[in-house]
């Protein structure tokens, strides 16, 4: 997607909530993923049509993204998460530091969520793998949560996911 | 043998009698090792059962992909090694992602099927979740509120409470409470999508934005324990076929020291003069009609027993009579007309009642309306309001 066509759409998303944390602190406790996703989900869902169910869905998706950064992140630098809203859509922008050279890996995983064989890849993975890898998790979000997942290029040793979640429509 | 693994905040359990393995709560392990005990419960369950193993995820609030894949793995492997076994995953329409995620297993192994338990889960559901039920709720609350606004403060209602109205119907009670008592928070839950849509439209048209209307099953709620100062549940224990289960849930979400307030009827005690005989006959039949569909509209006076048995203390109970003299008698008549429409319509039809019965049945409603609108008439609808405290 070219920068020119992206800008106006981005402008229409209004920021709702943000957290920023030292990666070292974030990585110190696995429970942070659950706690942050539960809290953020509650806060941003209060004025959705069905706050409780919206929060439940949103928390699922955000937790998976946080778990990815927990598993793949490196302890220097910061993790930064902003939730935006436009109409029926929430957007999560999540940046975290990771070992350099990882971008390519994420780029490929993200691009697979847009490919035609996404569903069969997903089925293949859940029918054979013991534990989910980053790719399956992104496929899960794309397939089961109708998420649109992209990467934004920023600093070399960091990853920025931009994930659009049309949960309001999916729930009601 | 029942095996339970408690590893807060989730629960994995196998009930051999129902051949059911259930997962509940929040399951977000970092690695499969953390849920090894629950995985073993599932594996043992598979070894124990013949035919079908039910996997109940009705109350599964959260699960990460690590856990999903680990449990899925066990199920899929079992399908490959045990040709005699099939699996039914029991999901709910409330936590929609469970249905979406587990359904894929069926694509991989057709012997894993997914059921959404709450598409048809209690006998009265078809009637009360239909839009034709809305006029009943609308006309009723208009009448009961006159009484309840003065009754409620005796049962724990006060400004600033955190409350939930469970089985909220069209949400009119929540709106009235909001206006009159300014609670800090109101969650209003029902399983009727039609009623909730109506509730949200009404709230929006009155500019009320902060009632949290939510779709859910009152007997399997996602709401956390010990959250609310006051939990109300009006005219609904009598509609759901398992009132004890429902009450247990009300108890669970109530804070220790908080109160649960319920209202229920005893329909056979609806009365009117003149034409009392015909009226009485019809309402006796109403009670029988409801019990045919496993609903106990005679529950009102049993409220005290239900509350005691559920573990409440400091039980308060009172009754009030909604009558044609409360306000405009036409409002009372409108309630009766709404009842007749559904009870002597859809419900009696579904039971297969013959025309002679229908005629006499309808006559009692007409006579009740006649009594309500008669210049010297009196018509009444008795209701029992009761509450109990969850011990602190
Ligand atoms: C007679 S209506 C009362 C509605 C409202 N409390 C009132 O007084 O206007 C009963 C309500 O209970 C709801 N209900 C019954 N069983 C339920 C359950 N298990 N979970 C959620 N709602 C339920 C029905 O959908 C219906 O709206």
């Amino acid at each position: 997607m070219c920068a020119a066509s992206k800008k106006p759409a981005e402008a229409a998303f209004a920021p709702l909530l943000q957290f920023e944390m030292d990666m070292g602190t974030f990585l110190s406790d696995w429970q942070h993923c659950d706690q942050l996703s539960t809290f953020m989900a509650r806060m941003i869902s209060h004025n959705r049509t069905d706050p409780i169910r919206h929060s439940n869905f949103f928390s699922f998706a955000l937790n998976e993204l946080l778990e990815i950064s927990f598993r793949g992140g490196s302890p220097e630098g910061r993790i930064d998460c902003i939730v935006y809203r436009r109409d029926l859509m929430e957007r999560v922008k999540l940046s975290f530091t990771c070992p350099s050279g990882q971008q390519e890996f994420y780029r490929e995983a993200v691009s697979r969520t847009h490919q035609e064989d996404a569903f069969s890849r997903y089925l293949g993975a859940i029918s054979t793998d013991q534990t989910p890898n980053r790719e399956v998790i992104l496929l899960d979000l794309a397939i089961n949560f109708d998420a649109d997942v992209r990467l934004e290029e920023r600093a070399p040793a960091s990853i920025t996911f931009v994930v659009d979640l049309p949960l309001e429509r999916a729930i009601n | 043998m029942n095996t339970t693994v408690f590893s807060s905040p989730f629960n994995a359990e196998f009930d051999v009698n129902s051949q059911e393995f259930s997962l509940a709560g929040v399951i977000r392990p970092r690695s499969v090792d953390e849920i090894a005990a629950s995985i073993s419960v599932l594996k043992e369950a598979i070894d124990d059962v013949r035919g079908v193993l039910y996997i109940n995820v009705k109350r599964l609030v959260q699960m990460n992909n690590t856990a999903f894949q680990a449990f899925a793995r066990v199920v899929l492997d079992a399908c490959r090694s045990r040709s005699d076994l099939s699996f039914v995953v029991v999901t709910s329409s409330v936590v929609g992602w469970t249905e979406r995620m587990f359904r894929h297993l069926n694509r991989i192994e057709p012997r894993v099927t997914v059921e959404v338990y709450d598409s048809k889960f209690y006998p009265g559901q078809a009637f009360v979740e239909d839009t034709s039920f809305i006029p009943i709720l609308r006309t009723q609350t208009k009448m009961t509120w006159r009484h309840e606004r003065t009754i409620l403060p005796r049962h724990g209602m006060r400004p600033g409470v955190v409350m939930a109205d469970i089985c909220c119907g069209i949400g009119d009670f929540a709106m009235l409470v909001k206006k009159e008592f300014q609670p800090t928070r109101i969650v209003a839950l029902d399983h009727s999508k039609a009623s909730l849509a109506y509730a949200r439209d009404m709230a929006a048209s009155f500019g009320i934005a902060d009632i949290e209307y939510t779709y859910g099953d009152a007997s399997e709620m996602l709401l956390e324990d010990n959250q609310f100062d006051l939990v109300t549940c009006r005219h609904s224990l009598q509609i759901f076929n398992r009132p004890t289960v429902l009450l247990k849930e009300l108890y669970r979400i109530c804070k220790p020291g908080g109160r649960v307030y319920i209202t229920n009827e005893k329909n056979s005690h609806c009365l009117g003069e003149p034409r009392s005989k015909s009226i009485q006959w019809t309402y006796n039949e109403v009670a029988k009609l409801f019990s045919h569909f496993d609903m106990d509209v005679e529950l009102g006076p049993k409220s005290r027993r239900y509350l005691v048995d559920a573990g409440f203390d400091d039980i308060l109970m009172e009754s009030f009579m909604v009558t044609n003299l409360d306000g405009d008698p036409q409002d009372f008549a409108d309630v009766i007309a709404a009842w007749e429409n559904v009870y002597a319509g859809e419900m009696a039809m579904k039971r297969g009642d013959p025309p002679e019965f229908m005629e006499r049945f309808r006559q009692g409603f007409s006579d009740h309306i006649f009594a309500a609108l008669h210049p010297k008439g009196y018509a009444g609808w008795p209701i029992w309001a009761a509450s109990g405290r969850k011990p602190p």
Side-chain angles (χ1 to χ4, degrees):
Chain A
M1 192 190 283
C2 74
S5 72
K6 209 164 77 186
K7 279 266 154 52
E10 297 253 328
F13 275 92
L16 294 178
L17 197 60
Q18 171 169 22
F19 82 82
E20 222 192 320
M21 207 168 172
D22 268 339
M23 263 312 255
T25 313
F26 175 64
L27 296 178
S28 68
D29 186 355
W30 173 252
Q31 293 302 323
H32 287 152
C33 301
D34 173 54
Q35 289 160 355
L36 286 164
S37 57
T38 304
F39 177 77
M40 298 276 280
R42 276 198 196 140
M43 297 301 280
I44 64 110
S45 299
H46 78 276
N47 53 359
R48 278 307 194 189
T49 305
D50 190 327
I52 288 159
R53 292 175 62 242
H54 189 275
S55 165
N56 177 267
F57 267 68
F58 187 83
S59 170
F60 187 112
L62 183 58
N63 178 65
E64 292 297 336
L65 294 169
L66 292 175
E67 288 190 8
I68 291 180
S69 34
F70 195 99
R71 294 182 200 279
S74 55
E76 318 76 40
R78 301 182 74 73
I79 177 170
D80 180 10
C81 176
I82 313 179
V83 182
Y84 302 84
R85 175 177 296 169
R86 190 185 66 197
D87 304 327
L88 301 181
M89 183 96 82
E90 263 76 23
R91 167 170 292 176
V92 176
K93 198 183 268 194
L94 177 70
S95 311
F96 58 96
T97 48
C98 69
S100 53
Q102 289 269 306
Q103 273 100 343
E104 190 47 37
F105 178 86
Y106 286 102
R107 206 170 303 131
E108 232 165 73
V110 166
S111 85
R112 292 212 173 105
T113 66
H114 297 282
Q115 285 166 8
E116 260 175 33
D117 63 349
F119 187 56
S120 56
R121 289 187 78 91
Y122 175 70
L123 286 187
I126 55 176
S127 68
T128 52
D129 296 353
Q130 188 68 42
T131 49
N133 56 33
R134 280 165 267 197
E135 183 185 323
V136 187
I137 292 173
L138 295 178
L139 287 170
D140 167 50
L141 296 182
I143 289 162
N144 298 314
F145 294 80
D146 307 329
D148 179 30
V149 187
R150 286 179 292 121
L151 275 189
E152 212 170 67
E153 303 294 336
R154 280 200 186 168
S158 86
I159 291 293
T160 299
F161 280 115
V162 179
V163 181
D164 287 346
L165 293 158
L167 300 181
E168 181 75 342
R169 205 179 46 221
I171 291 166
N172 296 297
Chain B
M1 178 200 65
N2 285 1
T3 321
T4 309
V5 174
F6 284 105
S7 164
S8 160
F10 81 93
N11 180 12
E13 162 178 315
F14 174 54
D15 178 4
V16 70
N17 296 322
S18 52
Q19 303 220 129
E20 184 176 79
F21 171 76
S22 51
L23 283 173
V26 177
I27 313 183
R28 286 173 165 175
R30 183 170 178 180
S31 73
V32 183
D33 300 344
E34 284 171 35
I35 52 169
S38 314
I39 299 277
S40 318
V41 175
L42 176 57
K43 285 184 175 160
E44 284 160 24
I46 290 169
D47 290 341
D48 266 14
V49 299
R50 299 280 161 270
V52 182
L53 178 65
Y54 293 90
I55 301 188
N56 174 341
V57 292
K58 291 184 203 175
R59 300 182 83 121
L60 184 56
V61 179
Q62 287 294 347
M63 169 181 248
N64 64 5
N65 270 289
T66 301
F68 173 72
Q69 215 152 311
F71 287 109
R73 170 88 285 109
V74 176
V75 169
L76 295 173
D77 286 349
C79 286
R80 284 159 204 164
S81 62
R82 287 271 306 274
S83 58
D84 63 311
L85 197 60
S86 58
F87 293 86
V88 177
V89 182
V90 186
T91 65
S92 83
S93 66
V94 179
V95 190
W97 56 261
T98 51
E99 188 197 346
R100 283 188 169 204
M101 285 177 67
F102 283 98
R103 211 173 270 298
H104 302 311
L105 301 184
N106 176 258
R107 296 285 292 260
I108 301 166
E109 280 294 343
R111 271 186 287 131
V112 185
T113 50
V114 172
E115 244 172 39
V116 181
Y117 85 95
D118 58 338
S119 53
K120 201 162 179 276
F121 70 119
Y122 68 98
Q125 183 179 10
F127 306 118
V128 293
E129 291 190 4
D130 197 88
T131 43
S132 60
F133 211 76
I134 291 176
I136 295 187
L137 303 182
R138 220 183 42 224
T139 51
Q140 283 189 168
T141 309
K142 191 172 174 187
M143 298 300 285
T144 52
W145 180 249
R146 287 197 179 87
H147 299 264
E148 284 184 276
R149 63 186 296 192
T150 59
I151 289 173
L152 281 161
R154 295 197 278 278
H155 296 263
M157 179 67 83
R158 55 192 151 72
V161 286
V162 174
M163 68 166 284
D165 185 35
I166 304 303
C167 301
C168 66
I170 56 167
D172 40 4
F173 177 75
M175 281 182 45
L176 290 162
V177 162
K178 175 96 201 153
K179 239 172 71 189
E180 179 96 9
F181 296 101
Q182 285 99 38
T184 305
R185 182 180 178 207
I186 304 193
V187 171
L189 176 146
D190 202 280
H191 196 275
S192 162
K193 289 198 165 156
S195 290
L196 285 172
Y198 188 96
R200 291 185 181 114
D201 279 353
M202 283 254 288
S205 70
F206 283 90
I208 296 178
D210 44 3
I211 298 177
E212 298 171 45
Y213 289 109
T214 188
Y215 172 70
D217 170 9
S219 65
E220 303 264 7
M221 291 189 282
L222 298 183
L223 299 170
E224 284 157 28
D225 301 356
N226 307 322
Q227 269 200 70
F228 299 100
D229 302 306
L230 180 64
V231 179
T232 56
C233 180
R234 303 170 50 267
H235 302 273
S236 298
L237 290 182
Q238 60 180 41
I239 292 298
F240 190 59
N241 61 335
R242 289 174 300 150
T244 327
V245 180
L246 216 153
L247 202 52
K248 204 169 148 194
E249 277 290 274
L250 305 180
Y251 184 93
R252 182 181 68 75
I253 64 171
C254 182
K255 281 186 195 163
R259 296 191 76 86
V260 169
Y261 168 87
I262 57 175
T263 65
N264 290 286
E265 301 163 49
K266 182 172 174 77
N267 253 283
S268 64
H269 279 35
C270 282
L271 52 85
E273 283 293 349
R275 304 186 180 175
S276 63
K277 286 241 158 55
S278 149
I279 295 169
Q280 195 172 21
W281 182 87
T282 284
Y283 285 97
N284 272 320
E285 290 302 322
V286 169
K288 288 186 211 159
L289 177 62
F290 273 79
S291 82
H292 177 81
F293 296 105
D294 240 348
M295 298 183 264
D296 183 9
V297 287
E298 299 286 276
L299 194 145
K302 303 172 195 165
S303 305
R304 185 168 173 225
R305 172 180 44 94
Y306 272 111
L307 287 169
V308 173
D309 290 350
F312 292 96
D313 65 13
D314 188 28
I315 287 156
L316 300 173
M317 180 143 163
E318 53 192 298
S319 60
F320 61 93
M321 179 86 84
V322 171
T323 79
N324 59 332
L325 306 181
D326 289 350
D328 184 346
Q330 187 57 50
D331 289 344
F332 191 96
D334 290 345
V335 176
I336 313 307
W339 287 346
E340 177 182 351
N341 190 39
V342 174
Y343 305 171
E346 259 174 89
M347 287 182 71
M349 216 113 79
K350 181 90 186 279
R351 188 171 61 167
D353 292 335
E356 317 80 75
F357 173 87
M358 294 286 226
E359 198 181 323
R360 192 170 170 201
F361 193 41
R362 282 189 185 274
Q363 189 58 48
F365 292 115
S366 305
D367 289 337
H368 207 194
I369 292 175
F370 181 81
L373 299 178
H374 193 283
K376 295 185 226 166
Y378 182 76
W381 168 38
I383 293 163
W384 280 263
S387 72
R389 184 181 66 160
K390 178 170 175 176

